[in-house]
Amino acid sequence: MERIPILRMGATLLVTIQVDMQDQTALALQDDLADRIAKTGASGVMIDISALEIVDSFVGRMLASISGIARILSATTVVVGMQPAVAITLVELGLSLEGVKTALNVERGLALLQRAREESGLVD
């Protein structure tokens, strides 16, 4: 099974999804991220999905689930790089990704995470 790498950039964990997300890959990512957040004390998680052209309901629910797990572990999740077709598909599937912050690109995502840290009193 393919694993998605998780990179640490200061207080942020960066996940760049470059492969089509199969159910097992998504579940492994969820477990790996929860483990890394707990071990590193990361306050932010950025998931770059710009390479994904198709998202099914399971992957959409997994993104929301990852965000919820991160929130419980005191980390903010931002999904960046969503293609218009992916956004349309998620809406058509009735998945609003409640609790998931989004940004157009990595730069804006990092700015969003920085603001969240400042609002919560955390400093890198």
Side-chain angles (χ1 to χ4, degrees):
M1 173 181 52
E2 207 166 346
R3 288 286 230 248
I4 296 174
I6 301 170
L7 304 173
R8 185 172 181 190
M9 294 175 24
T12 300
L13 297 178
L14 174 63
V15 177
T16 302
I17 300 173
Q18 298 289 320
V19 296
D20 287 332
M21 289 282 284
Q22 304 299 320
D23 292 358
Q24 288 303 108
T25 307
L27 288 170
L29 175 60
Q30 177 180 291
D31 293 343
D32 293 346
L33 259 175
D35 185 53
R36 288 289 297 276
I37 293 167
K39 284 182 179 174
T40 64
S43 61
V45 174
M46 187 168 2
I47 303 174
D48 181 358
I49 63 168
S50 57
L52 292 183
E53 294 179 12
I54 298 173
V55 172
D56 63 14
S57 62
F58 181 78
V59 173
R61 285 192 309 272
M62 289 307 300
L63 288 172
S65 177
I66 286 169
S67 179
I69 291 167
R71 194 170 35 257
I72 289 170
L73 294 171
S74 298
T76 301
T77 302
V78 178
V79 175
V80 301
M82 188 177 301
Q83 301 290 336
V86 171
I88 291 167
T89 300
L90 289 174
V91 170
E92 287 175 348
L93 292 171
L95 298 172
S96 63
L97 298 183
E98 193 168 324
V100 178
K101 296 181 186 300
T102 58
L104 221 46
N105 56 39
V106 172
E107 183 179 355
R108 289 185 181 185
L110 285 172
L112 187 61
L113 288 172
Q114 184 60 38
R115 279 194 305 276
R117 276 189 204 96
E118 290 168 359
E119 289 172 4
S120 66
L122 297 175
V123 180
D124 284 345

